[in-house]
Amino acid sequence: MDRRRIVALSGGVGGAKLALGLSRVLAASELTVIANTADDFEHLGLYIAPDLDTVMYTLAGINNAAQGWGLADESWQCMAALERLGGDSWFRLGDRDIATHLLRSQLLAQGDSLTGVTARLCRALGVEHRLLPMCDAKVDTWVMTDQGELPFQHYFVREQCRPVASGFRFAGIEQARISTAVQQAIDDMDALVVCPSNPFVSVAPILAVPGMRQALLASGKPRIVVSPIIGGQAVKGPAAKMLAELSLPVNALAVASHYRDFASHFVLDSADTCYQSAIEALGLQVLVCNTLMQTLDDRITLASRVLSQVGQD
Ligand code: FO1
């Protein structure tokens, strides 16, 4: 197949890793990354968009690879000064990172859409592949926990994912709409790749945008989910802990079952071949390969292996 227009759904650090691999294999016109925005929140009077920024900084090659989020070579003078004043410093904003939040907040306040602001920031950072928010409306993930309902970043950062989760709610999702840019990407795509992101708080909000799941299914194109669970563990983040707290088995089969009515293909790590036949019995085509992305080459190799599924049918 000469044309390979790919739409990738991404949230968090794992998603950005595969997005980078895909960006190295696909031309700018062949890849659109749709990022979760239900982690976004207003903090210190600034609009913070972690999953958009993690993909944007990663594709720009300026991300803090060790930390997963934020910028490389950061300084923390503003946080230190804020602490001195008794301000909130639990959510770590580096001095250079704050420039992104200042400009985004200013442009949004002037009435620009999150889609438009994201395009402007990507252009400024030399990111040529298209990065789109899942929608332009504000959606907020709330985590139901044994300590009550927590806004996502309070659960994830302030409480370090310690509370026991029992459910999730995406406030404002009813008002969300598929943007023209997202619809265009779906209409044009040859395949969808669901990056190895948290199914519950990174991918679920994107699929919960009214009409999104239906539009992706109606495309009739391959929908390839890369498992975020390897050998019964999440590479990073609370996906495994959430599976356990939702009384689901902590393994790749449970993730495949979660996507059984949506995915056409499932990418399973070589460590988890014991689940291959059970996942195929769900009706999913299974690709087994190394899905642990430790190096840039791992990211590119996984992207190539995933794309090898496109045009096979
Ligand atoms: N994650 C943390 O664990 N601690 C932080 O202080 C933190 C700050 C931060 C600042 C900007 C940004 O874009 C992301 C940041 N993250 C931090 C990560 C963020 O909470 C997560 O990446 C997503 O919300 C979930 O994937």
Side-chain angles (χ1 to χ4, degrees), residues 28-254:
S29 62
E30 293 182 314
L31 175 63
T32 298
V33 181
I34 297 176
N36 167 44
T37 57
D39 288 1
D40 297 7
F41 73 132
E42 186 96 15
H43 184 61
L44 300 170
L46 298 172
Y47 184 97
I48 313 286
D51 287 351
L52 279 168
D53 288 348
T54 300
V55 174
M56 180 172 71
Y57 290 159
T58 300
L59 295 189
I62 55 176
N63 64 306
N64 179 324
Q67 199 170 251
W69 50 267
L71 287 167
D73 310 323
E74 259 297 12
S75 55
W76 305 91
Q77 297 305 309
C78 185
M79 283 291 107
L82 189 63
E83 251 158 51
R84 208 169 21 250
L85 295 170
D88 274 342
S89 61
W90 57 271
F91 193 78
R92 310 299 297 163
L93 295 171
D95 296 325
R96 293 180 177 81
D97 188 32
I98 287 172
T100 301
H101 312 310
L102 286 171
L103 181 56
R104 179 183 277 128
S105 303
Q106 176 199 356
L107 294 172
L108 290 173
Q110 288 169 356
D112 286 5
S113 68
L114 188 56
T115 299
V117 171
T118 303
R120 173 166 169 170
L121 294 172
C122 284
R123 216 170 20 252
L125 292 177
V127 174
E128 294 178 350
H129 294 83
R130 196 165 39 167
L131 172 59
L132 301 175
M134 68 188 205
C135 64
D136 285 319
K138 186 63 198 85
V139 177
D140 295 304
T141 294
W142 286 76
V143 184
M144 319 301 155
T145 79
D146 55 348
Q147 297 171 27
E149 229 189 17
L150 297 174
F152 180 79
Q153 295 298 349
H154 286 204
Y155 163 80
F156 189 86
V157 178
R158 210 174 60 178
E159 306 305 328
Q160 298 182 359
C161 303
R162 278 192 297 264
V164 176
S166 55
F168 312 94
R169 181 168 66 86
F170 309 132
I173 197 73
E174 302 76 18
Q175 286 69 42
R177 291 289 173 272
I178 297 177
S179 65
T180 309
V182 165
Q183 188 60 58
Q184 188 66 52
I186 294 172
D187 292 344
D188 285 353
M189 79 181 185
D190 296 307
L192 176 81
V193 175
V194 178
C195 294
S197 303
N198 186 307
F200 309 110
V201 291
S202 291
V203 180
I206 301 174
L207 297 181
V209 173
M212 183 74 78
R213 176 186 289 269
Q214 295 81 341
L216 292 168
L217 283 167
S219 72
K221 298 292 174 35
R223 299 172 302 282
I224 307 164
V225 171
V226 180
S227 179
I229 298 290
I230 300 176
Q233 294 182 336
V235 178
K236 187 177 173 71
K241 181 173 180 283
M242 289 176 173
L243 278 165
E245 291 169 357
L246 295 173
S247 307
L248 294 169
V250 184
N251 59 44
L253 174 55

